[in-house]
Amino acid sequence: MFGRHRAGLDIVGGAYAGEYGSGAAAIEEARAAVDRFAEQAGRRPRILVAKMGQDGHDRGQKVIASGFADLGFDVDIGTLFQTPAEVAVQAMEADVHVVGVSTLAAGHRTLVPELIRELEALAVEGISTAPKVVVGGVIPEQDYRQLFDAGVISVFGPGTRITNAVIDVVSKLHPE
């Protein structure tokens, strides 16, 4: 009767870095890591920040997307309530280096491994590779091992500094 809710997909520029002030060491270190990657790869690192399943909490997704954009990433944002297959198609079409899954609704144990399988199925041997996957949000520490075993390269819990997340993600990406 009412249709599917469509939240805005806005990225706020300058807000994250602006809070640190000019010349902040953490900001400069993160931007330098992104710049080194861009120089080696010939383009800036690109991330898709995704929400899957019934998780409708998008504030964290927008904060992460805005922070990563402030620190030099090209950023795509997925809509709410996507399936792993929908996220995989969007990631491959956008040619992202990494998919960042934002989760608060406890679907990570099933949705993230399914996303990785979908990404690998879409990757064409010798032509394209599946992007790396990172996960952030409210995730019990006892679930980290399962996510790593499924192929996730990093898990970020509440309180993770965005500068640290950017540096960690860039360090685990390999330029083309």
Side-chain angles (χ1 to χ4, degrees), residues 34-122:
V34 169
D35 289 344
R36 281 190 302 275
F37 177 90
E39 188 175 302
Q40 293 172 355
R43 66 181 179 124
R44 304 201 80 59
R46 188 175 194 96
I47 186 171
L48 166 62
V49 185
K51 296 294 285 188
M52 296 186 290
Q54 295 301 307
D55 188 352
H57 303 91
D58 64 343
R59 182 177 297 165
Q61 176 191 32
K62 291 174 181 175
V63 168
I64 295 301
S66 295
F68 270 63
D70 267 4
L71 297 174
F73 269 71
D74 288 333
V75 178
D76 291 84
I77 302 178
T79 60
L80 293 176
F81 314 118
Q82 286 185 300
T83 66
E86 290 169 334
V87 172
V89 167
Q90 183 179 0
M92 296 302 282
E93 287 178 350
D95 195 23
V96 299
H97 295 98
V98 64
V99 176
V101 176
S102 173
T103 182
L104 293 173
H108 56 275
R109 292 179 61 171
T110 56
L111 296 171
V112 172
E114 186 177 336
L115 169 63
I116 292 169
R117 286 190 298 273
E118 293 284 348
L119 288 166
E120 290 170 351
L122 291 175

